[in-house]
Amino acid sequence: MNADLTSYWSLHEDEVLRSVESTPNGLTEAESKHRRTINASFALESRKRSSILILFDQFNNPIILLLFVSAVLSYFLGDTTNAFTIGLILVLSGLLGFWQERSASDAVAKLLEVVESKTSVLRDGIEVVIPLTKVVPGDVVLFRAGTVVPGDCRILVSHELHVNEAALTGESFPSEKSASTIDAAVTPSKRTNCLFLGTHIVSGTAQAVVVRVGRQTEFGNISTRLEKRAPSTGFERGLRAFGKLILAITGVLVVVVFLANIYFQRPIVESFLFALALAVGMTPQLLPAITSVVLATGAKTMAKSDVIVKRLLAIENFGGMDVLCLDKTGTLTEGSVELHSACNIYGESSQWVLRLAAINSHFESGFENPIDTAIRRFTTEIPADVRKLGELPYDFTRRKLSVLVSESQRQLLITKGAVANVLSDCKFAELPNQEMVPIETVRDAVLSQFASWGDEGYRVLAVAYRETNQKSLQRADESEMIFAGFLMFSDPLKPAIGETLKQLNGLGIRLKLITGDNRNIACTIGTRVGLNAFHVLTGGEIRGLDLEQLRAVSLETDIFAEIEPEQKERIVLALKSSKHIVGFLGDGINDAPALHAADVGISVSSAVDVAKEAAQVVLLKRDLNVLAQGVVEGRRTLANTLKYIFVSISANFGYMLSMAIASLFLPFLPLLPTQILLINLLADFPAMALATDSVDPETLERPCQWNIRSILRFMLMFGLIGTCSDLLTFVVLLQFFRSSQEEFRTGWFIVSIITGLLILLAVRTKRAFFRSRPGGWLMIAAISITTVTLILPYTNVGRIFELVPPSPWLLVFVSIVGLLYTLTMEFGKRIYYRNEVRFEEETQT
């Protein structure tokens, strides 16, 4: 076959048939079998990643690898309990991620599953019925109402053909199709002589030749893009960057400590074990576990609010989301066409115009469409004496619908349709006082009124009529009519949608309206809900922009109008390239690539299967209030995860730096490797309780995002505060208490745990610690660990770890150190957060 079918819609019907080596009578049976073999490679079959590869990916990040090394080191250091704990956490976390990703990998399979339907094709000029999967390029398919389109086709012959392309293009109204030759540069949504895989016939008949099948089709192109690995989310990128930071700090610290101990001629084996213990101590061992517990808790809470989370990490992306892209239909609006009013030529309400429209809609027998449904819903019953005599169905060329009826000793021809088309058929216009005037005298006023309503976002149709004595109806009869007035249709805004959007805006989320509607309607809807309509970007303008140019203009644009399906993904990627955490709310096949590309893809339960499968979050109610609740829950979840990050990295860094310094000047190791690991284990219990900790209300008011520089500054500031506290403890233990080796280690063991608990309680909130009430489990864990720490040196278990009973004065000293440490932490916290605000303002500037 001739492969030059790049612009098959611009070819004449005969040229298309020659290009696919077919005829108006279709293919022979032998040729069709041959072509099925040739085109087998293009079949829409799922190409899932193997389970082994998915499982491997769960452990392919720096934090997981570092923790795995820590578990191995703990084992060789003799701490099998800690090694087992870390290993168990890693296995459970990996299995959870594997289960989640394996479920999500069905997105492609769902997209490629076409319901086992059959279609009629011509074989040697004879109509035969075959499965959709047996259709090949060159087949001539016979289409009727309800027929599923088996591939991308070029129409050869059509009659009153209307196609539902909503799932592919997002257009809620059926598309008119006809056999014609159009320009090669038009977009898929405007290829009115083409039929696309994944759509179906609403009304009319047609014959069309199949040009492309499977992966070669527009539908297949979407599936191919979905097969690409989903891009890393904002949370995953932050986690990976944090892991690299920890890895770098740990590596430098361990190497320096080990080389320093060798320089001071300490035993090599003991120095190596000490350095390895430092490495274990620096790792945030509970991060996978805390992340899993926090996410599971968040998912359970969100499920109660009709939000189903398919991928747990999406919850934390909710917390970081600062841009939300969405369509207007069914989200900002009710998603249904409603008749707003019927008016005369001066824009005044008219029962006569409404009655004419009602009769026209009542007797039309074409496809079921939203316009006529809205009119019937708005009006009352039609009088029994009104009878239908004839009909001219709506079609693409005329863009109008006419019916011939009889009533009360007269017959009326009633037409409704596009204003320009109806107006061209009219000779007179009817004034409110029933006076008839030549249409030319009011034409400008009619067009001005039409343009004004269009600017307000209404879809406007015209209604005309005339009396006649004819008994049948021909197209030529649509002439010399009387212009009666207008029908105004709207897709009404959802109740209180303005308040909902204000709530989202108050949460720091900027909305981006992305719609296929024209500029006027998009601007009107956008303005009504409070979006900035000063700058509107259209699909035509986007086609001429590269990614960098699109990135620049998309930041300043709130309304994107006349957008083609493939451009949605481009807009999402452009916004993501500006370091925004982007959410996308969609429900159609055409939304799947954008859902896949977004940091958090959001769909609704009524969406097509592929959209629900491509999304990470599914709303059981198409309500932005539900989404706002999910955002708040996501921020609570991310806030508790980041608490552990800040606590662990600052405490561990200060703690390990103190030991590294002490090891250089003390004649003995400040703590034994087993004591270091015991401190880590005891500190893990209250840290685990952070998963259920309460969150200050002001923390939920703004998007939460990873900021590695901020984490690094936090680590340095509070780690150094901890180190200063530790060095003071060293001096007092050695100079004032004249502690022995065992007493020194016991004293610092107690101080380390107590100060670790204090930093946890202080760092968990930006407020003064006594103004923010911790969660119940956190308080219980903190009190319990404090009690265990003070009792342990007096027990046989303590002797195993070479701890000795402390003197009463040492306990008093621990209390004083704790008080001074707390005051210093609060002072440092105030300075830190004040500087962070300044850093943020400078960055935005």
Side-chain angles (χ1 to χ4, degrees), residues 631-645:
V631 169
V632 171
E633 190 58 42
R635 292 183 182 177
R636 179 177 290 108
T637 303
L638 181 55
N640 281 336
T641 302
L642 291 179
K643 284 179 187 179
Y644 177 72
I645 297 293

Side-chain angles (χ1 to χ4, degrees), residues 185-196:
V186 300
T187 59
S189 62
K190 296 181 180 178
R191 294 173 193 167
T192 54
N193 61 0
C194 297
L195 303 175
F196 300 104

Side-chain angles (χ1 to χ4, degrees), residues 182-333:
I182 57 179
D183 188 82
V186 300
T187 59
S189 62
K190 296 181 180 178
R191 294 173 193 167
T192 54
N193 61 0
C194 297
L195 303 175
F196 300 104
L197 175 67
T199 64
H200 67 272
I201 309 303
V202 174
S203 66
T205 60
Q207 288 187 18
V209 60
V210 178
V211 177
R212 293 170 178 163
V213 294
R215 294 180 179 276
Q216 297 176 312
T217 64
E218 295 292 330
F219 187 92
N221 181 49
I222 293 175
S223 75
T224 301
R225 280 185 281 170
L226 279 182
E227 285 182 348
K228 299 176 183 177
R229 181 179 176 85
S232 297
T233 64
F235 181 78
E236 290 170 314
R237 292 193 297 270
L239 196 63
R240 192 170 293 114
F242 175 69
K244 292 178 180 178
L245 175 65
I246 289 292
L247 191 60
I249 294 172
T250 302
V252 171
L253 191 60
V254 168
V255 170
V256 170
V257 169
F258 178 69
L259 293 178
N261 276 273
I262 296 300
Y263 177 78
F264 286 106
Q265 298 183 346
R266 307 276 171 75
I268 293 179
V269 175
E270 188 178 69
S271 298
F272 181 67
L273 292 177
F274 180 72
L276 293 183
L278 285 181
V280 174
M282 270 299 295
T283 56
Q285 301 170 20
L286 283 183
L287 182 57
I290 285 181
T291 299
S292 298
V293 172
V294 171
L295 292 175
T297 302
K300 185 176 180 180
T301 302
M302 293 172 71
K304 295 178 182 178
S305 300
D306 296 322
V307 180
I308 303 302
V309 179
K310 294 173 51 193
R311 189 181 181 198
L312 290 181
L313 285 179
I315 299 177
E316 294 188 302
N317 288 330
F318 261 127
M321 183 172 65
D322 59 353
V323 173
L324 174 61
C325 302
L326 71 170
D327 193 3
K328 68 174 185 64
T329 305
T331 305
L332 303 180
T333 66

Side-chain angles (χ1 to χ4, degrees), residues 616-635:
Q616 295 98 37
V617 176
V618 177
L619 308 181
L620 297 184
K621 294 180 181 178
R622 189 159 189 159
D623 188 347
L624 290 185
N625 278 313
V626 173
L627 183 61
Q629 295 171 19
V631 169
V632 171
E633 190 58 42
R635 292 183 182 177

Side-chain angles (χ1 to χ4, degrees), residues 2-3 152 335 350 358 467 504 524 568 579 738 785 794 825:
N2 186 348
D152 286 357
S350 171
E467 291 191 24
L504 288 170
T524 300
K568 297 179 181 180
K579 308 303 180 183
R738 302 292 181 179
I785 294 303
Y794 300 95
M825 282 290 296

Side-chain angles (χ1 to χ4, degrees), residues 387-405:
R387 294 185 301 107
K388 178 180 177 181
L389 301 178
E391 176 183 4
L392 290 176
Y394 184 92
D395 66 52
F396 172 72
T397 305
R398 293 163 46 251
R399 299 185 66 196
K400 54 195 171 187
L401 163 67
S402 296
V403 296
L404 179 64
V405 299

Side-chain angles (χ1 to χ4, degrees), residues 344-346 348 350-353 410 428-437 465 467 482-484:
N344 59 32
I345 63 172
Y346 294 128
E348 302 165 342
S350 171
Q351 288 299 314
W352 172 238
V353 174
R410 66 173 179 173
F428 301 98
E430 185 175 28
L431 301 182
N433 61 3
Q434 297 185 344
E435 179 185 354
M436 304 296 173
V437 298
Y465 76 100
E467 291 191 24
I482 301 169
F483 191 91

